[in-house]
Amino acid sequence: DITTQVAKLASTKLKHYPRPIRFAYSGEVIRNSKNHYKSERQFKQIGVELIGGPQDNSMVEILNLAISSLSQINIKDITIDFSLPSIFRLIDKDLKLKSNKNIKIALQNKDPGVIKNKKYNYINGLILMTGTVEEAYKIYKKFKFPNSIDSLLKNFFSLISIIKKNNKKLSITLDITEGNSFLEYYNFGFKFYNKENAKHIAVGGDYKSNNNEIGLGMTFLVSQLLACTKFKKKEKVYVP
């Protein structure tokens, strides 16, 4: 992953540079694990990283950059799907999911009917908090969450309201129970989907660098972008 290399560079050779510091990169990456549906192991990525800035401002800047960039290559019908891996970590730490089988099963199967104990009713709220952010917010208001989780959710919905101000028609979805698939990120993880063919075309989120700076990055998956884009054929003139 190129993000790791960029974060290391920022925290070592470039640690004296004023913050926030911005990077753009492109390069090849290798997939270690096999995928039965796709045989390709080598991928081209294009990405951006913003390190050392205020988290909310950095998120808004990165997302606006992505939306603008996709629009310029005529990919405008998109959905951003968020998850909050920080909440998944809190649940795992407080409830020890390995030993608490009912809650683990409920989260894995997205089944709120498994949890009967009222003490853990907030887990049902998290499971139900899926779909559009508008629907998720309605669920959020119906449940009482532990302070640590409630604080993360408040910050998230506040951030989304800022993003929505400039992109009123933007489709944003949320699935808290997918947090375990974004564990390389800190508070937020997200994927961009092209609604026309359901391909995910970018992935990103926030993270902590080696010197505990908050960074925020996003990677475009070039092969997926090419599959979603039609280029006009231009006439070429041969010059001997």
Side-chain angles (χ1 to χ4, degrees):
D1 186 4
I2 299 173
T3 296
T4 308
Q5 301 170 45
V6 171
K8 186 177 180 180
L9 179 65
S11 63
T12 53
K13 292 183 178 180
L14 301 179
K15 65 181 179 181
H16 60 287
Y17 273 59
R19 265 45 177 173
I21 186 169
R22 295 169 174 84
F23 298 89
Y25 63 82
S26 68
E28 304 284 343
V29 295
I30 302 293
R31 177 192 282 146
N32 289 327
S33 57
K34 291 183 179 180
N35 187 316
H36 295 294
Y37 301 102
K38 293 182 179 180
S39 58
E40 300 95 337
R41 297 285 296 273
Q42 188 170 347
F43 299 90
K44 181 83 171 179
Q45 290 185 344
I46 299 172
V48 290
E49 307 289 334
L50 198 161
I51 298 174
Q55 187 179 47
D56 288 1
N57 292 349
S58 299
M59 179 71 82
V60 171
E61 182 176 333
I62 290 288
L63 292 178
N64 283 338
L65 176 63
I67 294 164
S68 173
S69 300
L70 291 171
S71 178
Q72 288 181 36
I73 55 173
N74 292 320
I75 301 177
K76 299 177 182 179
D77 196 7
I78 58 174
T79 292
I80 308 176
D81 186 41
F82 276 91
S83 192
L84 279 66
S86 48
I87 289 180
F88 192 86
R89 286 193 203 93
L90 280 173
I91 295 171
D92 196 13
K93 180 181 176 182
D94 295 343
L95 303 182
K96 296 178 174 59
L97 292 181
K98 286 184 180 179
S99 57
N100 204 323
K101 291 184 178 179
N102 276 354
I103 292 177
K104 185 176 181 180
I105 290 169
L107 288 168
Q108 285 178 342
N109 298 333
K110 306 180 191 292
D111 184 0
V114 174
I115 300 172
K116 306 297 182 184
N117 190 334
K118 290 184 178 179
K119 180 181 177 182
Y120 302 122
N121 190 43
Y122 71 91
I123 299 291
N124 290 330
L126 293 174
I127 293 170
L128 292 170
M129 205 178 296
T130 186
T132 67
V133 286
E134 292 81 10
E135 292 166 347
Y137 186 71
K138 289 177 184 176
I139 298 295
Y140 164 69
K141 300 298 285 184
K142 291 179 181 179
F143 285 83
K144 183 173 178 58
F145 298 95
N147 290 337
S148 55
I149 291 177
D150 189 63
S151 177
L152 288 167
L153 288 170
K154 273 184 181 175
N155 289 341
F156 170 74
F157 285 116
S158 174
L159 174 66
I160 293 303
S161 68
I162 295 169
I163 296 166
K164 278 280 196 178
K165 276 183 183 178
N166 296 325
N167 304 279
K168 290 184 169 126
K169 294 183 180 180
L170 179 63
S171 170
I172 300 178
T173 57
L174 174 67
D175 190 345
I176 298 292
T177 57
E178 288 297 316
N180 62 334
S181 64
F182 284 93
L183 290 179
E184 67 269 32
Y185 296 110
Y186 186 53
N187 283 321
F188 307 113
F190 58 83
K191 288 182 180 180
F192 274 72
Y193 287 88
N194 179 17
K195 290 166 84 173
E196 291 184 4
N197 57 12
K199 287 182 180 293
H200 85 273
I201 50 182
V203 61
D206 62 348
Y207 55 87
K208 273 193 174 182
S209 67
N210 293 346
N211 57 354
N212 284 325
E213 284 185 301
I214 293 294
L216 205 139
M218 182 197 60
T219 300
F220 288 112
L221 309 174
V222 175
S223 60
Q224 300 286 59
L225 284 178
L226 291 174
C228 299
T229 309
K230 293 179 181 178
F231 296 98
K232 291 181 180 179
K233 291 184 178 179
K234 293 184 178 181
E235 292 185 3
K236 297 180 182 180
V237 177
Y238 173 68
V239 179

